[in-house]
Amino acid sequence: MKNTALTETHQALGAKMVPFAGYNMPVQYEGVNIEHETVRKHVGVFDVSHMGEFLIEGEHALELIQKVSSNDASKLTIGKAQYSCLPNEDGGIVDDLIIYKVKENTYLLVVNASNIEKDWNWIQSKNDVGATMRDLSEDYALLAIQGPKAIEAMQSLSSHDLSAIKFYNFIVGDFADIEHVIISATGYTGSGGFEIYCKNSEVKQIWDKVLKAGADFGIKPIGLAARDTLRLEMGYCLYGNDIDDTTSPIEAGLGWITKFTKEFTNSEALKAEKERGPERKLIAFELNDRGIPRHGYDIVDGNGKTIGIVTSGTMSPSMGKGIGLGYVPTVFADVNSKINIQIRKKAIPATVVKLPFYKS
């Protein structure tokens, strides 16, 4: 079990620690609902240092990235980030990721913790163009400072105007008396804020100063359980649940990051799938009665026949109702379609809805 540079800090704060993606991670401190509400209304800080970071450099860096990723990275300028995925050869997804253009011919790829080795091997297997690859995952830490008060609470820690950093843009600058950290207006909560990339040796200083600066704004440390309920209320996909090696970006609703203006791994097959329409789609649903949908529960039709499976589900802390994502045949995927979620021996009626679930 690996630790992040802040594991002892989380333990000292009384966090409940669990194994996650091979790391010892804080799942909660005070409780999921309290932490969820803190991010929705105030500001919270997550340690997500388990995420992976690859640096792709050289005159052929973009060529390699274009070949392995579904989005069009040629559109990136220095200081911009892009959500993308790595398609496999079989119509599925190796991983989803964020691509940052740091300098001319230098890109940072941020990948899921559980897929670091898999992604590295996959990209390396496609690198016949001589791009330079470096795995920085073991040396770098990542904090997510999320919530509507994040800018106001953190402004005292940087000489840069944090409010000027637009969504999916970033700067390299000073933060919490550390030079050259990445301050990125990205996140996984739908409540605004920043992600801070720094070296492991710097993260404890940044963590302490973030909590001190945010004290007057109600900041709290937030665990992975609330990170999951926050992302699900926005309908953001979680790798391993909603997308994996067997789900295509087209059926997962990720056509918007799948650009056929270029060739990439399996692009011809994905283009054909988009043109004919996928046989199944990832839907969002809300329960009409009491109940909590969970990953792996069956989705059934009015006759009790299994038509799909729940990939993510929870009791929404913001809305007080059961919500979830799941795959069903396209005929059941239209908004307002009626389905049922099999919860133990009861088929609970549910309605297909438009994302996001949570509207601020």
Side-chain angles (χ1 to χ4, degrees):
M1 191 68 59
K2 293 179 182 177
N3 292 318
T4 76
L6 291 172
T7 297
E8 290 180 4
T9 304
H10 302 312
Q11 290 167 334
L13 287 167
K16 180 184 177 186
M17 307 295 287
V18 297
F20 183 82
Y23 283 81
N24 190 19
M25 297 296 290
V27 67
Q28 63 181 47
Y29 300 84
E30 290 182 75
V32 180
N33 287 359
I34 293 170
E35 293 169 33
H36 182 107
E37 189 172 285
T38 295
V39 175
R40 284 282 181 251
K41 294 182 177 175
H42 306 287
V43 57
V45 56
F46 305 77
D47 175 17
V48 282
S49 302
H50 59 317
M51 299 291 281
E53 293 88 17
F54 304 154
L55 206 62
I56 312 285
E57 298 176 288
E59 60 178 314
H60 298 293
L62 179 61
E63 188 179 346
L64 173 60
I65 289 166
Q66 289 288 70
K67 187 159 65 164
V68 298
S69 67
S70 63
N71 210 334
D72 186 357
S74 72
K75 300 282 193 248
L76 284 171
T77 53
I78 295 168
K80 289 195 180 297
Q82 182 184 76
Y83 181 55
S84 191
C85 76
L86 305 172
N88 64 24
E89 305 279 11
D90 308 311
I93 298 171
V94 178
D95 202 5
D96 62 336
L97 73 163
I98 297 180
I99 301 168
Y100 294 82
K101 185 167 185 177
V102 183
K103 292 187 286 197
E104 211 54 56
N105 298 331
T106 301
Y107 298 83
L108 180 71
L109 276 52
V110 180
V111 303
N112 285 299
S114 54
N115 290 335
I116 292 171
E117 186 179 358
K118 173 190 170 192
D119 291 357
W120 176 264
N121 292 340
W122 176 258
I123 297 168
Q124 202 171 43
S125 75
K126 301 292 182 185
N127 185 17
D128 54 9
V129 295
T132 303
M133 294 175 57
R134 285 198 285 157
D135 184 357
L136 308 178
S137 307
E138 294 285 327
D139 303 319
Y140 275 77
L142 173 56
L143 299 182
I145 304 161
Q146 297 283 294
K149 295 185 179 175
I151 293 171
E152 196 182 355
M154 295 299 115
Q155 185 55 67
S156 65
L157 296 180
S158 181
S159 64
H160 298 274
D161 180 2
L162 300 183
S163 67
I165 308 172
K166 294 176 181 164
F167 192 48
Y168 265 75
N169 284 242
F170 69 95
I171 60 167
V172 180
D174 64 284
F175 190 82
D177 297 323
I178 304 285
E179 297 292 333
H180 308 301
V181 302
I182 291 177
I183 308 170
S184 172
T186 46
Y188 197 46
T189 65
S191 282
F194 301 96
E195 293 183 303
I196 305 290
Y197 296 83
C198 63
K199 291 175 181 167
N200 282 337
S201 57
E202 301 165 339
V203 72
K204 178 66 165 69
Q205 175 176 320
I206 294 177
W207 174 272
D208 289 344
K209 294 200 172 194
V210 162
L211 286 177
K212 190 175 177 183
D216 291 343
F217 300 89
I219 198 169
K220 290 181 179 181
I222 313 293
L224 293 182
R227 182 172 159 88
D228 193 50
T229 55
L230 289 157
R231 71 92 193 168
L232 184 49
E233 285 187 346
M234 297 307 296
Y236 296 153
C237 288
L238 173 64
Y239 194 90
N241 281 41
D242 314 302
I243 50 175
D244 59 30
D245 288 301
T246 69
T247 60
S248 88
I250 306 304
E251 62 189 15
L254 297 177
W256 62 280
I257 62 163
T258 310
K259 304 288 170 61
F260 299 111
T261 50
K262 59 161 197 170
E263 285 186 18
F264 57 86
T265 307
N266 207 38
S267 56
E268 284 302 311
L270 291 174
K271 186 178 181 184
E273 182 186 16
K274 185 172 185 177
E275 286 170 354
R276 71 174 178 267
E279 292 180 10
R280 62 173 189 164
K281 283 185 180 177
L282 184 66
I283 54 148
F285 64 84
E286 293 180 358
L287 294 191
N288 301 336
D289 292 341
R290 288 176 64 83
I292 304 175
R294 299 288 186 202
H295 171 76
Y297 283 9
D298 284 340
I299 302 173
V300 299
D301 66 13
N303 299 317
K305 181 189 173 191
T306 299
I307 55 169
I309 194 160
V310 176
T311 54
S312 288
T314 194
M315 173 63 71
S316 163
S318 300
M319 299 153 60
K321 63 171 76 170
I323 61 171
L325 302 174
Y327 284 95
V328 295
T330 306
V331 66
F332 293 97
D334 290 341
V335 171
N336 295 322
S337 293
K338 302 301 179 186
I339 55 172
N340 300 278
I341 310 302
Q342 192 69 41
I343 302 179
R344 290 179 286 279
K345 293 183 179 178
K346 290 183 74 175
I348 307 294
T351 302
V352 177
V353 297
K354 189 179 179 189
L355 288 171
F357 296 105
Y358 172 78
K359 297 168 180 71
S360 56

